Amino acid sequence: MSGTPAALLPYAPAELDGLPPGLPVHLWDGTGAPPPQEVLDTVGFFALPYLRTAAAVPLLPRMPGLRVVQTLTAGVDDVRPHLPAGVQLCNARGVHDASTAELALTLILASLRDIPGFVRGQDAEQWRSGFYPALADRRVLLVGYGSIGAAIEDRLAPFECRVERVARSARQASRGPVHPLSQLPQLLPEADVVVLVVPLTEETHGLAGKEFLSRMKDGALLVNVARGPVVDTTALLEEVGSGRLTAALDVTDPEPLPPGHPLWHAPGVLISPHVGGSSSAFLPRALRLLAAQLRRYAAGEPLEHRMV
């Protein structure tokens, strides 16, 4: 432990169960002035404050002894361009699985059963009875099958729907085969619900574009809990505007969605404000992850969830 560079954390040591004794710790939650340079000079492990990446990344080049950057997000696309050479980047795999999977299921059910319409009806004192689609007997295509994709399938399991899985490459998962991305053209026309759970990379930027959307069957639902730019917004507006597709979006491009943007009032579109991971499930899982990573860091052991 002696001589271990300090950790800069957004949470106090008392909140981290099992924090290695003697590890130097500094606190900064991403608000207010950043730590002085004499503190930054000592930092080897930097846990980026959740939802404050823009405030944190300018500090990276000011940390000469930096060894590890630990995000509290699953996606790291907003950190990679700022990462100094030779620094490890670890994501928060597992922290957001439960929360994001819950929201994905919520968006699916709310869209299929037209919960937004019921809310509008209640506001207008209208009794909107009728016949609405169910999730039962539907085909759900999960595009992206990491830990969050698997968690979504766990929650879909009781709903009597058929699930297909797609990832970068084919493999066998515990619940069944995972198809490669190259098979999307064959799988999309059969899906009633398509859920995007992929990381944002050069390969997935604009993945759900005009061709992708045109292959979806009439009446299908697109759910995006990945990143906004995975979907081509212009192409999506054309499809939902025609009434051929519907969409439920926790992320948008642009984001945050500005006032007056046509997505706000596009027919058949349900929008949540990027809250997949922002729930009460976040903090206890984030604290467990940080404590475990810091124990490995202090012991000189390999860290988990390394992206770089």
Side-chain angles (χ1 to χ4, degrees):
M1 181 72 68
S2 177
T4 302
L8 181 58
L9 308 177
Y11 306 111
E15 298 182 79
L16 297 164
D17 186 32
L19 189 70
L23 176 67
V25 172
H26 303 290
L27 299 181
W28 184 61
D29 66 1
T31 64
Q37 188 59 48
E38 55 265 31
V39 168
L40 299 181
D41 287 341
T42 70
V43 173
F45 183 109
F46 184 20
L48 303 187
Y50 186 51
L51 301 180
R52 297 192 175 100
T53 300
V57 292
L59 302 185
L60 300 182
R62 297 175 55 193
M63 299 178 179
L66 188 62
R67 300 178 185 177
V68 178
V69 171
Q70 173 70 59
T71 74
L72 294 178
T73 57
V76 295
D77 50 278
D78 52 351
V79 179
R80 281 185 188 274
H82 308 279
L83 191 71
V87 174
Q88 295 182 39
L89 175 62
C90 302
N91 80 339
R93 179 182 174 89
V95 168
H96 300 284
D97 294 3
S99 185
T100 304
E102 281 186 9
L103 183 65
L105 180 60
T106 299
L107 292 174
I108 293 169
L109 291 171
S111 296
L112 291 177
R113 302 304 291 265
D114 194 26
I115 301 302
F118 298 158
V119 172
R120 295 184 184 107
Q122 182 175 350
D123 288 343
E125 300 181 6
Q126 297 173 347
W127 189 261
R128 298 190 179 186
S129 61
F131 196 85
Y132 295 91
L135 178 53
D137 306 323
R138 300 279 168 167
R139 288 175 176 254
V140 180
L141 178 63
L142 298 175
V143 183
Y145 200 73
S147 61
I148 293 177
I152 293 172
E153 183 171 12
D154 289 344
R155 286 152 181 80
L156 288 170
F159 284 86
E160 302 179 33
C161 55
R162 176 174 175 177
V163 177
E164 298 283 355
R165 311 154 201 87
V166 171
R168 185 186 309 175
S169 55
R171 67 178 190 272
Q172 186 68 29
S174 60
R175 289 190 178 273
V178 180
H179 304 282
L181 276 173
S182 59
Q183 290 188 12
L184 270 178
Q186 293 77 45
L187 295 168
L188 283 169
E190 303 299 321
D192 299 291
V193 179
V194 177
V195 185
L196 300 173
V197 210
V198 293
L200 180 60
T201 64
E202 290 184 4
E203 184 180 18
T204 62
H205 192 286
L207 173 68
K210 187 171 184 177
E211 181 179 354
F212 179 110
L213 297 172
S214 68
R215 289 184 178 274
M216 290 175 61
K217 69 192 300 185
D218 290 356
L221 168 67
L222 178 74
V223 179
N224 189 6
V225 291
R227 286 290 187 267
V230 172
V231 175
D232 181 327
T233 301
T234 300
L236 179 63
L237 282 168
E238 291 179 3
E239 293 286 6
V240 297
S242 71
R244 201 182 72 81
L245 301 179
T246 57
L249 311 171
D250 184 49
V251 289
T252 61
D253 184 22
E255 187 178 302
L257 203 60
H261 195 282
L263 264 181
W264 282 119
H265 302 289
V269 175
L270 171 60
I271 297 172
S272 57
H274 201 156
V275 291
S278 305
S279 79
S280 59
F282 165 74
L283 186 57
R285 289 160 178 79
L287 294 176
R288 287 196 294 268
L289 171 70
L290 280 181
Q293 291 286 69
L294 286 166
R295 288 193 292 270
R296 296 184 186 96
Y297 168 72
E301 298 173 354
L303 300 182
E304 291 190 340
H305 316 316
R306 287 183 59 179
M307 308 298 289
V308 176

